Amino acid sequence: MELCVYGASSSAIGAAYLAAGEALGREMARRGHGLVFGGGAQGMMGAVARGMTAGGGRILGVAPTFFQVDGVLYEHCTDFLYTETMRQRKQAMEDRSDGFIMTPGGIGTYEEFFEILTLKQLGRHAKPIAVFNVAGYFDDLLRMLETTVREGFMERACLDLCRVFTEPEPLLDYLETDSRPVPSLDRLKRI
């Protein structure tokens, strides 16, 4: 599988996050998966890529041309695809991936995750989505999503379109075996 990983590009994050990212990358490589990611050399992106490199895995970096600044992009990608815009970048990552993983990150990571989850909810793809909840990073976000369901702003079925994990092995097991069909758009008539 080619797995798209969303995550932080910040170099200011804690060592526990970086170690978890590298462990995820090593396990992906060990299982023969390829990495599709935003091409960053730092943060969670860089950590996962370093794990993939250590495990001898395939890496496709995807970034807009304006990111070509010294030290920003990971230098050891197997392949690199440059786009003109961030929107083209997200589309290229989506098109080349068989599943998606959100690792800890900031607003860009949230935006990527919520777009891919929304597209699945709308039946535009049936690819599995996993959240790697390292050190409880996403606990507050998950509580917010539960509130969103409880208050009637979102159906529970939307939350069922992704799964949350704290370890790489069960996360990858899920991505490798999830085969649920594309959700039906008939339910949109009830909105």
Side-chain angles (χ1 to χ4, degrees), residues 40-92:
Q42 304 301 319
M44 291 301 288
M45 283 197 282
V48 175
R50 287 190 299 277
M52 287 291 291
T53 297
R58 301 177 312 280
I59 304 171
L60 171 62
V62 183
T65 54
F66 60 83
F67 277 6
Q68 289 181 297
V69 178
D70 285 346
V72 171
L73 299 176
Y74 188 67
E75 297 177 353
H76 304 290
C77 293
T78 311
D79 293 299
F80 216 101
L81 174 64
Y82 290 100
T83 63
E84 290 302 311
T85 68
M86 293 291 280
R87 287 190 176 121
Q88 290 170 343
R89 174 200 206 189
K90 287 190 303 180
Q91 187 66 57

Side-chain angles (χ1 to χ4, degrees), residues 8-65:
S9 61
S10 172
S11 59
I13 64 176
Y17 296 111
L18 298 175
E22 288 188 29
L24 175 63
R26 283 192 305 276
E27 184 64 15
M28 286 172 57
R30 188 185 74 74
R31 294 182 185 214
H33 299 305
L35 169 64
V36 178
F37 81 126
Q42 304 301 319
M44 291 301 288
M45 283 197 282
V48 175
R50 287 190 299 277
M52 287 291 291
T53 297
R58 301 177 312 280
I59 304 171
L60 171 62
V62 183
T65 54

Side-chain angles (χ1 to χ4, degrees), residues 20 23-25 27-28 31 132 165-173:
L24 175 63
E27 184 64 15
M28 286 172 57
R31 294 182 185 214
F132 191 23
F165 300 90
T166 58
E167 297 294 330
E169 294 81 2
L171 183 153
L172 293 171
D173 290 344

